[in-house]
Amino acid sequence: VRIQAMRVGIYIEPWVQQRAGISVFTEQLVRASEASEHTFVTIGSKKMVDSIEHVEISSRRGSFLNPLRYLGMGRTDLSKFDIELLIDTRHYTTLGLFQKVKRLVIVHDITPILFPRYHRWTSFLGQRLLLKRSLEQSDTIVTVSDTTKNDVVSRFGLAEKVVRIYPGVRDLGETVSQDESLVPTSPYLLSVGTIEPRKNHKTLIEAFDEVASIVKDVQLIIVGDSGWKVDLAGLISNAKHSERIHYLGYVTKAQLKQLYENARMSIYISHYEGFGLPIVESMKLKCPVIASNSGAMKEVAGEAAILVDPTSKKLI
């Protein structure tokens, strides 16, 4: 049976200024839509991909802190743009913004509710106050792992609406030239992820100190945008082997690919994840992985990674 082609809107506003995991997911979803038999339209204050049709709304209006949206005032009728289905790429960000359209909500994790201590108050407040209502008003709920699916159903019910669809892994492009200043000449371990408490950089650095005491020339490279509630510079300066720990911040896709390809190990020992994109990115580029045995990481990695207790300082 052939499904009739439709016009589908992807709400991108929360991610047009960000570069972390869900932003990467959203951009890849938009780019993949070009190959679909359906017509996709992005919605937000600016474009994410130039070749995709775009409906512009103001960033102020799109903010989930704007109370007017929850009072049912000023909703946009997306049917005037012939959009039949709206994809909310993060939980509740379209709640109260639009009318006369079916909603598909993607839930990556509900860790702000499960582990509020790891998150900023805005994330906790958003999920605590808005997620249940958003899910109840959605037509379909997509989770990125069975772990997240089970978390959602356990917390909110709605099992009849929930479908698990694993995300793909992005192409980081062709390696055109090597940046010799980026990669150490000695062996190194690589950690990729936003600098925030859930990613467990404190234990990572303590565990690296244990490894560095045994393997005399090994280095640790940490990659990721600055986040919240973590003094990474302080953690590094207090490490026994601080001179062998290097924080590079955000890097380009070409640089990230080079780092994956030359690393001895990719380490992703987050306390809890709804998926864990760096795990599959590492595997795609044939970089061995050490990952946590908690959350969706053991589901994503399966038997293809070394799984460890994220509270342990023992990596080897």
Side-chain angles (χ1 to χ4, degrees):
V1 178
R2 184 177 178 83
I3 300 174
Q4 184 176 357
M6 66 172 68
R7 281 171 62 83
V8 180
I10 304 176
Y11 188 63
I12 63 171
E13 179 55 30
W15 312 115
V16 294
Q17 302 289 356
Q18 295 193 31
R19 302 178 293 195
I22 303 180
S23 177
V24 170
F25 173 92
T26 302
E27 181 182 351
Q28 295 309 302
L29 176 64
V30 172
R31 292 189 183 280
S33 71
E34 294 186 278
S36 173
E37 63 182 17
H38 303 290
T39 300
F40 283 79
V41 179
T42 56
I43 303 168
S45 60
K46 60 176 64 176
K47 284 189 172 186
M48 182 174 274
V49 176
D50 287 339
S51 57
I52 300 292
E53 184 182 343
H54 184 71
V55 173
E56 185 173 336
I57 66 169
S58 70
S59 58
R60 177 182 295 180
R61 183 169 171 273
S63 170
F64 83 86
L65 295 175
N66 181 358
L68 295 179
R69 63 191 292 185
Y70 306 116
L71 297 175
M73 300 172 63
R75 294 182 182 177
T76 298
D77 180 0
L78 289 180
S79 65
K80 69 182 181 182
F81 300 104
D82 297 322
I83 294 174
E84 304 164 73
L85 173 67
L86 177 65
I87 298 177
D88 185 336
T89 56
R90 189 200 176 195
H91 311 28
Y92 54 80
T93 54
T94 64
L95 182 64
L97 274 178
F98 307 106
Q99 61 180 353
K100 298 182 181 178
V101 65
K102 291 184 176 181
R103 291 173 68 244
L104 182 154
V105 174
I106 300 175
V107 181
H108 298 266
D109 63 67
I110 60 170
T111 56
I113 292 176
L114 299 177
F115 309 103
R117 64 187 179 276
Y118 296 145
H119 292 273
R120 292 176 288 198
W121 70 269
T122 51
S123 296
F124 168 72
L125 186 66
Q127 285 206 8
R128 185 69 179 83
L129 297 180
L130 305 174
L131 183 54
K132 183 175 186 292
R133 182 178 169 192
S134 177
L135 298 180
E136 289 175 344
Q137 293 184 11
S138 69
D139 295 277
T140 302
I141 302 164
V142 171
T143 65
V144 296
S145 65
D146 283 328
T147 299
T148 299
K149 178 179 178 179
N150 293 337
D151 287 343
V152 168
V153 172
S154 175
R155 187 82 182 195
F156 302 107
L158 307 171
E160 69 283 358
K161 290 186 180 183
V162 183
V163 178
R164 186 266 293 144
I165 302 176
Y166 288 124
V169 54
R170 61 178 168 168
D171 184 356
L172 292 175
E174 296 295 326
T175 303
V176 178
S177 61
Q178 294 287 325
D179 182 351
E180 295 182 359
S181 65
L182 185 71
V183 177
T185 55
S186 56
Y188 67 91
L189 310 177
L190 178 65
S191 172
V192 177
T194 302
I195 310 305
E196 46 119 332
R198 186 162 48 106
K199 304 303 182 184
N200 203 17
H201 290 93
K202 182 177 185 295
T203 302
L204 169 69
I205 290 172
E206 291 172 346
F208 174 75
D209 267 338
E210 298 283 338
V211 173
S213 297
I214 302 169
V215 185
K216 299 302 181 183
D217 59 347
V218 69
Q219 311 277 314
L220 173 63
I221 293 181
I222 301 174
V223 169
D225 265 340
S226 59
W228 54 91
K229 293 186 178 181
V230 175
D231 177 14
L232 185 63
L235 292 175
I236 293 174
S237 66
N238 290 329
K240 297 177 185 177
H241 302 279
S242 58
E243 75 284 355
R244 289 197 256 162
I245 304 173
H246 314 281
Y247 173 51
L248 303 185
Y250 174 79
V251 299
T252 67
K253 289 195 293 185
Q255 290 173 325
L256 182 59
K257 183 177 182 182
Q258 184 180 345
L259 288 167
Y260 277 134
E261 289 177 330
N262 290 280
R264 294 299 177 91
M265 279 276 188
S266 173
I267 303 178
Y268 197 71
I269 54 170
S270 174
H271 287 292
Y272 199 89
E273 293 291 330
F275 187 76
L277 283 173
I279 294 174
V280 290
E281 286 186 343
S282 301
M283 291 178 175
K284 183 176 182 180
L285 294 173
K286 301 179 181 180
C287 179
V289 176
I290 296 176
S292 295
N293 61 5
S294 62
M297 291 168 286
K298 59 184 178 182
E299 175 186 346
V300 172
E303 298 181 356
I306 298 172
L307 300 179
V308 299
D309 179 351
T311 65
S312 172
K313 300 176 185 178
K314 298 294 184 182
L315 293 180
I316 59 174

